[in-house]
Amino acid sequence: MPTQTSTIFSLQAPKDISLNEIDTELNQIWQSYGITGEDGRLPSATRATTFTLVVYEPEETQYLLAALGFYNGPIDGILGPQMAAALREVQKKHNLPESGTATPETLTVLREEFAKGQRSGSGGEHPASGLSSGSPRIADEIALRNPCRIIALFPIAGEDEGVKAQVSAYCPIQKQSSSTLICCEYITLSGTAAALERIGGMIPALLIGGLPKFLWWKATPDPNNGLFKRLAAVCNNVIVDSCNFNEPEKELLRLEELVETGVPVADLNWRRLASWQELTAEAYDSPNRRAALKEIDRVTIDYEKGNPAQALLFLGWLASRLQWQPVSYEKESGDYDITRIRFIAEEQRQVEAELAGVPVADVGDIIGDLIALRLSSTNPQADCGTVICSETGGCMRMETHGGAQSAGLFQQVTSLSEQKAEALLSQQVQRWGRESLFEESLGVTANIFKLETN
């Protein structure tokens, strides 16, 4: 039976207001609306009462698309279907590969077009102004499950002209739902980074009291950033996505520093490893295989070249479970980005791990997805050999070197149906607080990086 497609009803399209009018305006929204159902009656609407999500989004693509007339949805920082279509339209117009993603070439064209409009006087309006009420991607994914209050913070470049505020409200409508709509409130604050930091003290007052509070920090997590420190101190979870880290090793180290200071951190990229972790654990469920775990002394992990975060976090998880201590760390760049790490296991056994960034022709939405994993032993009598491959990527590098099928157990990971950040985020907000397994794995990963700096 096909899934019922939901629609989004706008109680209030994005409306420009002053900062001190936010609460008043939100209250008025709930006093002046009308929605006519199929039976002619007006369903009642209930305000968001589950949690508050603060989103810090420094990415400029949606601003530029909106200012140039390609995009008319809310500025939520999510690469949803509406934004992907807008990017393809720009790319087609300028004879660029129609990837639907914000490639460096596409961003260059957008910046040039915006600057040209500024000079001619036709593009002087701020990119965040005058947006219509398109289907909001974050609210679409999250409000369907848990309607909430979303506070979106958008640092922009240019002169400091204070902070601009918008409010809006959206309700998911489903035919099988009751006559009561549970709606998502949206507050947008945009200004220079300095301007946003100045008003940082008022943001906690906008969080719904007595309910969980989440901070989705879509930038480099900086413990020294004043706004980050202020928001992290009042939120139950700080959520990041390491697949977007520009310098994964350095920024994973910063995550570990935050964990050490008591900040409850969650990484959406960690959630993408769940099926790999489950299959690896299942491979050693039987008593004889479990005993052979101690024989593993060779680990090979292939990932899509571009971001090693997933591979590093998986290796950190494996090492933390088997109590391996990292002792050396080497990197080699080329057609394949090769990282070699040596561990000391129990009884001073040496374990060697190799991570390979493999160039692929068809890069997916998530940079650095795992492709294949091989666990083996130099002991020919050990029954611990395991090969796990992605459904789409296979084990091509291992097959080229001969021996992918020689392992005792061969398994295949089916692609996760919900890999995108907004879908994973809607799962993450079901829980909050510290995640011990992630923190232990991140700790081992950080110890690997520290070997290079010593």
Side-chain angles (χ1 to χ4, degrees):
M1 182 175 178
T3 303
Q4 172 66 47
T5 303
S6 64
T7 58
I8 296 290
F9 181 87
S10 173
L11 281 185
Q12 172 64 62
K15 178 180 179 181
D16 294 338
I17 58 171
S18 65
L19 290 173
N20 57 11
E21 294 175 329
I22 291 175
D23 279 326
T24 301
E25 185 62 34
L26 287 173
N27 288 330
Q28 288 179 350
I29 288 173
W30 304 101
Q31 299 169 9
S32 56
Y33 76 92
I35 309 172
T36 303
E38 291 180 0
D39 56 2
R41 292 183 301 172
L42 295 178
S44 60
T46 301
R47 299 181 73 168
T49 55
T50 49
F51 57 84
T52 303
L53 173 66
V54 182
V55 184
Y56 183 85
E57 173 56 72
E59 212 277 323
E60 66 181 314
T61 308
Q62 280 182 330
Y63 283 136
L64 295 171
L65 288 170
L68 296 170
F70 293 100
Y71 175 79
N72 65 354
I75 306 295
D76 59 11
I78 297 298
L79 179 61
Q82 197 173 357
M83 183 176 167
L87 285 165
R88 281 191 289 270
E89 186 180 347
V90 172
Q91 290 160 346
K92 182 178 181 179
K93 178 181 177 181
H94 294 277
N95 298 314
L96 297 172
E98 296 178 36
S99 64
T101 58
T103 62
E105 295 81 7
T106 307
L107 271 174
T108 297
V109 165
L110 288 171
R111 288 167 183 151
E112 289 173 353
E113 288 291 305
F114 183 70
K116 191 186 301 180
Q118 293 272 59
R119 288 193 297 270
S120 66
S122 61
E125 187 175 30
H126 188 280
S129 65
L131 299 180
S132 65
S133 56
S135 174
R137 191 62 181 168
I138 294 179
D140 193 358
E141 293 288 349
I142 296 178
L144 291 175
R145 299 169 174 86
N146 289 288
C148 62
R149 175 176 291 183
I150 296 174
I151 303 172
L153 309 176
F154 296 104
I156 59 175
E159 293 184 15
D160 188 342
E161 298 178 352
V163 174
K164 177 179 178 179
Q166 286 184 336
V167 297
S168 53
Y170 300 94
C171 312
I173 301 175
Q174 294 176 300
K175 288 183 179 179
Q176 68 268 32
S177 65
S178 68
S179 60
T180 300
L181 298 175
I182 310 296
C183 303
C184 188
E185 299 175 331
Y186 213 107
I187 302 169
T188 303
L189 303 174
S190 59
T192 64
L196 288 173
E197 189 165 340
R198 277 201 312 274
I199 61 122
M202 67 162 285
I203 295 175
L206 298 175
L207 309 179
I208 302 175
L211 295 176
K213 304 163 183 67
F214 298 92
L215 170 62
W216 188 13
W217 191 264
K218 299 178 67 180
T220 300
D222 183 1
N224 298 316
N225 180 294
L227 184 58
F228 177 86
K229 287 167 66 176
R230 187 187 294 272
L231 294 175
V234 297
C235 289
N236 300 94
N237 235 176
V238 175
I239 303 169
V240 299
D241 192 346
S242 60
C243 87
N244 296 320
F245 286 175
N246 292 322
E247 299 178 89
E249 297 178 7
K250 180 193 238 179
E251 291 164 27
L252 285 172
L253 263 176
R254 284 184 173 179
L255 277 195
E256 199 265 342
E257 290 173 15
L258 291 171
V259 168
E260 289 295 316
T261 62
V263 174
V265 175
D267 182 1
L268 299 181
N269 215 20
W270 167 259
R271 301 225 162 274
R272 298 188 182 100
L273 296 173
S275 55
W276 291 88
Q277 293 166 332
E278 288 168 7
L279 279 180
T280 304
E282 287 173 9
Y284 298 96
D285 269 350
S286 62
N288 64 311
R289 294 276 290 174
R290 187 169 300 178
L293 265 174
K294 293 184 178 180
E295 297 289 347
I296 295 173
D297 58 16
R298 294 293 182 272
V299 179
T300 305
I301 301 175
D302 288 356
Y303 63 93
E304 292 184 5
K305 186 176 180 179
N307 186 327
Q310 278 192 29
L312 289 163
L313 286 171
F314 183 90
L315 183 61
W317 169 76
L318 188 66
S320 71
R321 298 303 87 199
L322 299 179
Q323 298 183 331
W324 298 344
Q325 301 300 319
V327 292
S328 72
Y329 174 55
E330 300 175 0
K331 291 191 297 182
E332 175 187 319
S333 296
D335 291 338
Y336 289 78
D337 287 341
I338 303 295
T339 302
R340 295 184 178 88
I341 301 127
R342 189 161 52 87
F343 297 89
I344 295 295
E346 293 178 342
E347 301 174 356
Q348 298 302 301
R349 290 184 309 110
Q350 291 194 7
V351 178
E352 295 183 4
E354 179 182 283
L355 279 55
V358 180
V360 293
D362 186 17
V363 179
D365 292 325
I366 309 303
I367 301 174
D369 267 341
L370 292 196
I371 297 174
L373 160 72
R374 182 176 183 178
L375 305 174
S376 59
S377 175
T378 52
N379 177 4
Q381 306 304 315
D383 179 22
C384 64
T386 300
V387 172
I388 302 176
C389 295
S390 68
E391 186 180 44
T392 52
C395 287
M396 293 185 64
R397 190 175 76 101
M398 293 178 185
E399 289 163 1
T400 300
H401 287 77
Q405 303 291 344
S406 67
L409 187 64
F410 185 90
Q411 301 187 78
Q412 203 169 55
V413 174
T414 302
S415 299
L416 294 178
S417 59
E418 294 188 331
Q419 281 251 64
K420 292 187 177 180
E422 60 270 23
L424 294 172
L425 181 69
S426 68
Q427 299 168 19
Q428 181 62 48
V429 293
Q430 307 297 319
R431 64 189 79 191
W432 55 89
R434 304 187 67 159
E435 297 186 49
S436 300
L437 190 56
F438 168 67
E439 291 184 0
E440 290 175 20
S441 305
L442 181 63
V444 174
T445 306
N447 287 338
I448 292 172
F449 302 150
K450 290 170 185 175
L451 291 170
E452 187 181 41
T453 58
N454 288 341

